[in-house]
Amino acid sequence: MKRNDDLGLLAHPDHFHDAIQIQDFQPERLRQFLRKMILIRLCEEKIGDKIAAKKIACPCHLAIGQEAVAVGLAENLRRDDHIFGTHRSHAQFLSVGGDPYRLFAEVLGRVDGASKGMGGSMHLFDREVGFTGSVPIVGGTVPLAVGAALSAKVQKKDFLGVCFFGDGATEEGVFHESMNLASALKLPVIFVCENNLFSSHLHIDLRQPSNSVARYADAHRINNIVLDGNDVVEVAKKTAPLIDEARANQTPVFIEAVTYRWRGHVGPSEDLDVGVKRGDDLPRWKKRDPIQRLVDGMTARSMLTDEDFRSLKEEIRKEVDETWDRAELSDFPDHSKLYDMVYAKERGDA
Amino acid sequence: MSKVNYGEAIRFGFEFLLENHSDVVLLGQGLWSPWYVGNSMTDLDTKFGKNRVIDTPVSESACTGAAVGASLAGLKAVVIHPRMDFMVLATDPIVNQAAKWSHMLGGQAHPAVTIRAIINRGGEQGAQHSQALHAWYAHIPGLRVVMPSTVQDARDLLIASVLSSDPVLYIDDRWLYDLEDELEEPRDFELTNIRPQVLESGTDITIVGSSYSTQLALKARRLMATKNLSAEVIDLRVLNPLKLQTVECSVLKTGRLLVVDGGWRSCGMGGEILASITERLPLEAWKARPQRVTLPCTPAPTSKPLEELYYPTAERVAEVGISLCKGIALSRESKREIAEITL
């Protein structure tokens, strides 16, 4: 498990631009990866456009550029797993099969939303697909995933607690408490850090003595891996044995997926003016595009033509456009909903 | 029927839950040690197994968050904080997570977690080993807050809390642990049906308390009886959501209200009860200005004479109660006001 304490070339914007190695993955599976990543990107772009057009008011944190982490990982998760997200969870929600219509309706505050219009972008829910909930309190869901894993262990079931979080969350005390607890009690938790090198506006180099957070997993004796989060095949392939191990042996594992977000912390802008070095780096990071690299990899193996890619994108774009238009027609929650959901069996006081 | 004490009653509650509800698990610091939780959990780990009764690392936030997460994933988890002051470190999982998930996820997720906090004060323990923070938490929509004041409720409100579909903060007070009573047979309880309770009826004044303050009110009632005054004592039991019809009816009858609370005066439960009842009743219902007896707005001291000054006593409650009934203004401020007016 010991390694160099920093990310090296993985954090360097001029590397990992080439086609990904598609290894022994079958074309159909790769096409599914591609479809999901395009769907996520186009949904996020749609949301970005609608924020700019003032159709959406709630804070939305877009994951454009980070699609491969959630999509690769979703390959190894099940619907009975308990997956917890963050403020930036649209991609995670969609990657496990969350409905784009319910995502759109939710960011619009409509009753057909994933949280019935009560949560907005930062509070998504769909237990049917394994997504137990997302919240914007940084690190807030990390101990919740540990608790879900405790439930699996007590009930002698083999579902997992899965928490996605960013590099910023590793600066929270509860993150360390949670890692220690999961390790001490031997609980099947998948800790997934989407390390996009930024917490809000501030680069990790200005926040931590090392840019790799997997060192914390070493400290808590949790089996871990650092990988290229913009390579969907690598994410799917390399996390599979760890996740299998967590399921079979009821142990925690830690995944650090290095990536980069193309948009700013919140909203559609690129935040070129707020982050140290971000203006220089962003165009270079865009060359580590998880979608284009998969397309290049498939093209090199004659599994995809330019025309295939173009038509797939157009087909999905049409779907996304129609879905958005439909979501805008969904109703707002009735006034009574303000009071109805405070408690399970009783109305809240007016 | 033999008598049991308050601490044992809590233990009986846990025993009933663990025996009859296989989805109940307990976790927290010191659960395998009588040093932390008194006699309230003795031998539960040996009887029900250390995988269901879990002594944890010193991580209030993660353990509380884990209890919330376990409750979202099929268990009825109870997290125990042997001292409420330390539970402040777990405010996020309680206030931001447990209390909010139902509402903010559209009524689809219900973390049915129970958070047990023990108030442990006095004995010169000082400002960080003394706090009764129930009013803070009772402020939060979505978080049920219960405080048992009797031996029976120590067990039964615990059962109701753990079986509730909502997050519940159950607060017990070490000063009540020696209280003794006989217990009825345990059964399942529905927390939404539990209301404030008239423990002793009376006609001259309504005294409202919760937890240890209710015991002060009962003692004060006996002291007042020696002056031929009849106090009705109401035990709140559930601090959030508040259901005050019982108190309202009582004050309509007595025309006087005194609230005793073990928290601070400012933004406390005392003020909340006074305001709520004042809002509901017509001016002509009142025979005297409603009053409260609370902690002064200072941290808990350590030095013994200051500690004696700090905590309300039954004598103090009775004194204020008598003054209300006799129409005597007792507070220093009131005395000063009267002095200024007469000058």
Side-chain angles (χ1 to χ4, degrees), chain B residues 44-67:
Chain B
L44 291 174
D45 56 320
T46 49
K47 187 164 178 188
F48 296 99
K50 285 181 157 51
N51 63 331
R52 288 182 76 195
V53 181
I54 305 164
D55 204 333
T56 67
V58 190
S59 303
E60 286 83 3
S61 190
C63 291
T64 308

PDB file of all heavy atoms in Angstrom, chain B residues 44-67:
ATOM      1  N   LEU B  44     -25.687  -5.479  29.058  1.00  0.00           N
ATOM      2  CA  LEU B  44     -26.424  -5.643  27.797  1.00  0.00           C
ATOM      3  C   LEU B  44     -25.515  -6.255  26.726  1.00  0.00           C
ATOM      4  O   LEU B  44     -25.966  -7.044  25.893  1.00  0.00           O
ATOM      5  CB  LEU B  44     -26.976  -4.296  27.313  1.00  0.00           C
ATOM      6  CG  LEU B  44     -28.101  -3.671  28.150  1.00  0.00           C
ATOM      7  CD1 LEU B  44     -28.445  -2.279  27.627  1.00  0.00           C
ATOM      8  CD2 LEU B  44     -29.341  -4.562  28.148  1.00  0.00           C
ATOM      9  N   ASP B  45     -24.237  -5.886  26.773  1.00  0.00           N
ATOM     10  CA  ASP B  45     -23.306  -6.409  25.758  1.00  0.00           C
ATOM     11  C   ASP B  45     -23.116  -7.912  25.912  1.00  0.00           C
ATOM     12  O   ASP B  45     -23.067  -8.646  24.924  1.00  0.00           O
ATOM     13  CB  ASP B  45     -21.965  -5.677  25.822  1.00  0.00           C
ATOM     14  CG  ASP B  45     -21.321  -5.748  27.197  1.00  0.00           C
ATOM     15  OD1 ASP B  45     -22.060  -5.642  28.203  1.00  0.00           O
ATOM     16  OD2 ASP B  45     -20.092  -5.910  27.279  1.00  0.00           O
ATOM     17  N   THR B  46     -23.052  -8.398  27.150  1.00  0.00           N
ATOM     18  CA  THR B  46     -22.857  -9.839  27.317  1.00  0.00           C
ATOM     19  C   THR B  46     -24.143 -10.601  26.989  1.00  0.00           C
ATOM     20  O   THR B  46     -24.106 -11.691  26.436  1.00  0.00           O
ATOM     21  CB  THR B  46     -22.375 -10.178  28.744  1.00  0.00           C
ATOM     22  OG1 THR B  46     -23.227  -9.522  29.680  1.00  0.00           O
ATOM     23  CG2 THR B  46     -20.958  -9.727  28.978  1.00  0.00           C
ATOM     24  N   LYS B  47     -25.282  -9.991  27.291  1.00  0.00           N
ATOM     25  CA  LYS B  47     -26.552 -10.676  27.031  1.00  0.00           C
ATOM     26  C   LYS B  47     -26.919 -10.683  25.537  1.00  0.00           C
ATOM     27  O   LYS B  47     -27.430 -11.673  25.031  1.00  0.00           O
ATOM     28  CB  LYS B  47     -27.669 -10.005  27.841  1.00  0.00           C
ATOM     29  CG  LYS B  47     -28.988 -10.752  27.758  1.00  0.00           C
ATOM     30  CD  LYS B  47     -29.979 -10.340  28.832  1.00  0.00           C
ATOM     31  CE  LYS B  47     -31.284 -11.117  28.636  1.00  0.00           C
ATOM     32  NZ  LYS B  47     -32.352 -10.641  29.501  1.00  0.00           N
ATOM     33  N   PHE B  48     -26.654  -9.560  24.852  1.00  0.00           N
ATOM     34  CA  PHE B  48     -27.120  -9.457  23.459  1.00  0.00           C
ATOM     35  C   PHE B  48     -25.986  -9.442  22.432  1.00  0.00           C
ATOM     36  O   PHE B  48     -26.243  -9.390  21.236  1.00  0.00           O
ATOM     37  CB  PHE B  48     -28.010  -8.221  23.295  1.00  0.00           C
ATOM     38  CG  PHE B  48     -29.268  -8.312  24.099  1.00  0.00           C
ATOM     39  CD1 PHE B  48     -29.374  -7.671  25.322  1.00  0.00           C
ATOM     40  CD2 PHE B  48     -30.341  -9.071  23.661  1.00  0.00           C
ATOM     41  CE1 PHE B  48     -30.530  -7.770  26.085  1.00  0.00           C
ATOM     42  CE2 PHE B  48     -31.509  -9.181  24.415  1.00  0.00           C
ATOM     43  CZ  PHE B  48     -31.599  -8.535  25.635  1.00  0.00           C
ATOM     44  N   GLY B  49     -24.766  -9.489  22.906  1.00  0.00           N
ATOM     45  CA  GLY B  49     -23.643  -9.590  21.981  1.00  0.00           C
ATOM     46  C   GLY B  49     -23.015  -8.245  21.666  1.00  0.00           C
ATOM     47  O   GLY B  49     -23.711  -7.227  21.558  1.00  0.00           O
ATOM     48  N   LYS B  50     -21.705  -8.281  21.519  1.00  0.00           N
ATOM     49  CA  LYS B  50     -20.977  -7.038  21.281  1.00  0.00           C
ATOM     50  C   LYS B  50     -21.146  -6.532  19.846  1.00  0.00           C
ATOM     51  O   LYS B  50     -20.657  -5.463  19.512  1.00  0.00           O
ATOM     52  CB  LYS B  50     -19.495  -7.240  21.622  1.00  0.00           C
ATOM     53  CG  LYS B  50     -19.252  -7.275  23.137  1.00  0.00           C
ATOM     54  CD  LYS B  50     -17.783  -7.462  23.469  1.00  0.00           C
ATOM     55  CE  LYS B  50     -17.399  -6.976  24.856  1.00  0.00           C
ATOM     56  NZ  LYS B  50     -18.207  -7.441  25.981  1.00  0.00           N
ATOM     57  N   ASN B  51     -21.817  -7.299  18.993  1.00  0.00           N
ATOM     58  CA  ASN B  51     -22.107  -6.775  17.648  1.00  0.00           C
ATOM     59  C   ASN B  51     -23.399  -5.960  17.631  1.00  0.00           C
ATOM     60  O   ASN B  51     -23.661  -5.232  16.686  1.00  0.00           O
ATOM     61  CB  ASN B  51     -22.168  -7.911  16.616  1.00  0.00           C
ATOM     62  CG  ASN B  51     -23.285  -8.887  16.911  1.00  0.00           C
ATOM     63  OD1 ASN B  51     -23.658  -9.073  18.072  1.00  0.00           O
ATOM     64  ND2 ASN B  51     -23.836  -9.508  15.871  1.00  0.00           N
ATOM     65  N   ARG B  52     -24.206  -6.079  18.683  1.00  0.00           N
ATOM     66  CA  ARG B  52     -25.422  -5.250  18.772  1.00  0.00           C
ATOM     67  C   ARG B  52     -25.297  -4.162  19.822  1.00  0.00           C
ATOM     68  O   ARG B  52     -26.089  -3.216  19.837  1.00  0.00           O
ATOM     69  CB  ARG B  52     -26.651  -6.123  19.084  1.00  0.00           C
ATOM     70  CG  ARG B  52     -27.095  -6.979  17.914  1.00  0.00           C
ATOM     71  CD  ARG B  52     -28.345  -7.771  18.301  1.00  0.00           C
ATOM     72  NE  ARG B  52     -29.548  -6.948  18.303  1.00  0.00           N
ATOM     73  CZ  ARG B  52     -30.691  -7.321  18.882  1.00  0.00           C
ATOM     74  NH1 ARG B  52     -30.771  -8.469  19.522  1.00  0.00           N
ATOM     75  NH2 ARG B  52     -31.745  -6.546  18.828  1.00  0.00           N
ATOM     76  N   VAL B  53     -24.377  -4.327  20.731  1.00  0.00           N
ATOM     77  CA  VAL B  53     -24.128  -3.318  21.760  1.00  0.00           C
ATOM     78  C   VAL B  53     -22.650  -2.953  21.628  1.00  0.00           C
ATOM     79  O   VAL B  53     -21.780  -3.671  22.090  1.00  0.00           O
ATOM     80  CB  VAL B  53     -24.455  -3.856  23.167  1.00  0.00           C
ATOM     81  CG1 VAL B  53     -24.218  -2.780  24.216  1.00  0.00           C
ATOM     82  CG2 VAL B  53     -25.894  -4.358  23.225  1.00  0.00           C
ATOM     83  N   ILE B  54     -22.403  -1.856  20.925  1.00  0.00           N
ATOM     84  CA  ILE B  54     -21.054  -1.578  20.433  1.00  0.00           C
ATOM     85  C   ILE B  54     -20.420  -0.420  21.194  1.00  0.00           C
ATOM     86  O   ILE B  54     -20.946   0.699  21.192  1.00  0.00           O
ATOM     87  CB  ILE B  54     -21.110  -1.242  18.918  1.00  0.00           C
ATOM     88  CG1 ILE B  54     -21.803  -2.373  18.151  1.00  0.00           C
ATOM     89  CG2 ILE B  54     -19.710  -0.971  18.372  1.00  0.00           C
ATOM     90  CD1 ILE B  54     -22.247  -1.985  16.744  1.00  0.00           C
ATOM     91  N   ASP B  55     -19.309  -0.687  21.849  1.00  0.00           N
ATOM     92  CA  ASP B  55     -18.518   0.383  22.473  1.00  0.00           C
ATOM     93  C   ASP B  55     -17.616   0.949  21.374  1.00  0.00           C
ATOM     94  O   ASP B  55     -17.012   0.196  20.610  1.00  0.00           O
ATOM     95  CB  ASP B  55     -17.689  -0.191  23.623  1.00  0.00           C
ATOM     96  CG  ASP B  55     -17.327   0.868  24.652  1.00  0.00           C
ATOM     97  OD1 ASP B  55     -17.242   2.054  24.289  1.00  0.00           O
ATOM     98  OD2 ASP B  55     -17.109   0.498  25.825  1.00  0.00           O
ATOM     99  N   THR B  56     -17.568   2.265  21.263  1.00  0.00           N
ATOM    100  CA  THR B  56     -16.954   2.869  20.068  1.00  0.00           C
ATOM    101  C   THR B  56     -15.721   3.703  20.381  1.00  0.00           C
ATOM    102  O   THR B  56     -15.478   4.054  21.536  1.00  0.00           O
ATOM    103  CB  THR B  56     -17.957   3.821  19.386  1.00  0.00           C
ATOM    104  OG1 THR B  56     -18.180   4.922  20.278  1.00  0.00           O
ATOM    105  CG2 THR B  56     -19.261   3.154  19.059  1.00  0.00           C
ATOM    106  N   PRO B  57     -14.982   4.054  19.334  1.00  0.00           N
ATOM    107  CA  PRO B  57     -13.917   5.045  19.492  1.00  0.00           C
ATOM    108  C   PRO B  57     -14.493   6.401  19.937  1.00  0.00           C
ATOM    109  O   PRO B  57     -15.707   6.610  19.866  1.00  0.00           O
ATOM    110  CB  PRO B  57     -13.319   5.178  18.085  1.00  0.00           C
ATOM    111  CG  PRO B  57     -13.787   3.995  17.325  1.00  0.00           C
ATOM    112  CD  PRO B  57     -15.076   3.557  17.949  1.00  0.00           C
ATOM    113  N   VAL B  58     -13.603   7.293  20.328  1.00  0.00           N
ATOM    114  CA  VAL B  58     -14.024   8.610  20.834  1.00  0.00           C
ATOM    115  C   VAL B  58     -14.358   9.518  19.654  1.00  0.00           C
ATOM    116  O   VAL B  58     -13.633  10.447  19.352  1.00  0.00           O
ATOM    117  CB  VAL B  58     -12.886   9.238  21.660  1.00  0.00           C
ATOM    118  CG1 VAL B  58     -13.396  10.477  22.395  1.00  0.00           C
ATOM    119  CG2 VAL B  58     -12.320   8.248  22.643  1.00  0.00           C
ATOM    120  N   SER B  59     -15.411   9.231  18.942  1.00  0.00           N
ATOM    121  CA  SER B  59     -15.732   9.969  17.718  1.00  0.00           C
ATOM    122  C   SER B  59     -17.224  10.282  17.714  1.00  0.00           C
ATOM    123  O   SER B  59     -18.010   9.595  17.062  1.00  0.00           O
ATOM    124  CB  SER B  59     -15.377   9.129  16.486  1.00  0.00           C
ATOM    125  OG  SER B  59     -14.025   8.748  16.495  1.00  0.00           O
ATOM    126  N   GLU B  60     -17.595  11.331  18.424  1.00  0.00           N
ATOM    127  CA  GLU B  60     -19.027  11.634  18.571  1.00  0.00           C
ATOM    128  C   GLU B  60     -19.692  11.842  17.222  1.00  0.00           C
ATOM    129  O   GLU B  60     -20.805  11.375  16.968  1.00  0.00           O
ATOM    130  CB  GLU B  60     -19.238  12.896  19.432  1.00  0.00           C
ATOM    131  CG  GLU B  60     -18.986  12.705  20.913  1.00  0.00           C
ATOM    132  CD  GLU B  60     -17.521  12.801  21.293  1.00  0.00           C
ATOM    133  OE1 GLU B  60     -16.675  13.070  20.393  1.00  0.00           O
ATOM    134  OE2 GLU B  60     -17.200  12.599  22.480  1.00  0.00           O
ATOM    135  N   SER B  61     -19.014  12.569  16.346  1.00  0.00           N
ATOM    136  CA  SER B  61     -19.631  12.922  15.074  1.00  0.00           C
ATOM    137  C   SER B  61     -19.805  11.691  14.183  1.00  0.00           C
ATOM    138  O   SER B  61     -20.888  11.437  13.659  1.00  0.00           O
ATOM    139  CB  SER B  61     -18.793  13.996  14.378  1.00  0.00           C
ATOM    140  OG  SER B  61     -19.493  14.498  13.277  1.00  0.00           O
ATOM    141  N   ALA B  62     -18.738  10.924  14.001  1.00  0.00           N
ATOM    142  CA  ALA B  62     -18.826   9.745  13.126  1.00  0.00           C
ATOM    143  C   ALA B  62     -19.785   8.711  13.694  1.00  0.00           C
ATOM    144  O   ALA B  62     -20.538   8.083  12.940  1.00  0.00           O
ATOM    145  CB  ALA B  62     -17.444   9.125  12.917  1.00  0.00           C
ATOM    146  N   CYS B  63     -19.769   8.513  15.000  1.00  0.00           N
ATOM    147  CA  CYS B  63     -20.652   7.487  15.577  1.00  0.00           C
ATOM    148  C   CYS B  63     -22.111   7.900  15.444  1.00  0.00           C
ATOM    149  O   CYS B  63     -22.980   7.069  15.161  1.00  0.00           O
ATOM    150  CB  CYS B  63     -20.298   7.231  17.039  1.00  0.00           C
ATOM    151  SG  CYS B  63     -18.694   6.427  17.186  1.00  0.00           S
ATOM    152  N   THR B  64     -22.388   9.180  15.631  1.00  0.00           N
ATOM    153  CA  THR B  64     -23.763   9.647  15.472  1.00  0.00           C
ATOM    154  C   THR B  64     -24.164   9.570  14.003  1.00  0.00           C
ATOM    155  O   THR B  64     -25.262   9.121  13.665  1.00  0.00           O
ATOM    156  CB  THR B  64     -23.903  11.079  16.014  1.00  0.00           C
ATOM    157  OG1 THR B  64     -23.386  11.104  17.348  1.00  0.00           O
ATOM    158  CG2 THR B  64     -25.345  11.523  16.026  1.00  0.00           C
ATOM    159  N   GLY B  65     -23.265   9.990  13.129  1.00  0.00           N
ATOM    160  CA  GLY B  65     -23.529   9.881  11.688  1.00  0.00           C
ATOM    161  C   GLY B  65     -23.746   8.428  11.280  1.00  0.00           C
ATOM    162  O   GLY B  65     -24.624   8.117  10.472  1.00  0.00           O
ATOM    163  N   ALA B  66     -22.969   7.530  11.864  1.00  0.00           N
ATOM    164  CA  ALA B  66     -23.121   6.103  11.545  1.00  0.00           C
ATOM    165  C   ALA B  66     -24.485   5.602  12.011  1.00  0.00           C
ATOM    166  O   ALA B  66     -25.130   4.807  11.324  1.00  0.00           O
ATOM    167  CB  ALA B  66     -21.998   5.290  12.181  1.00  0.00           C
ATOM    168  N   ALA B  67     -24.920   6.085  13.159  1.00  0.00           N
ATOM    169  CA  ALA B  67     -26.250   5.672  13.640  1.00  0.00           C
ATOM    170  C   ALA B  67     -27.338   6.183  12.687  1.00  0.00           C
ATOM    171  O   ALA B  67     -28.301   5.477  12.387  1.00  0.00           O
ATOM    172  CB  ALA B  67     -26.488   6.189  15.054  1.00  0.00           C
TER     173      ALA B  67
END
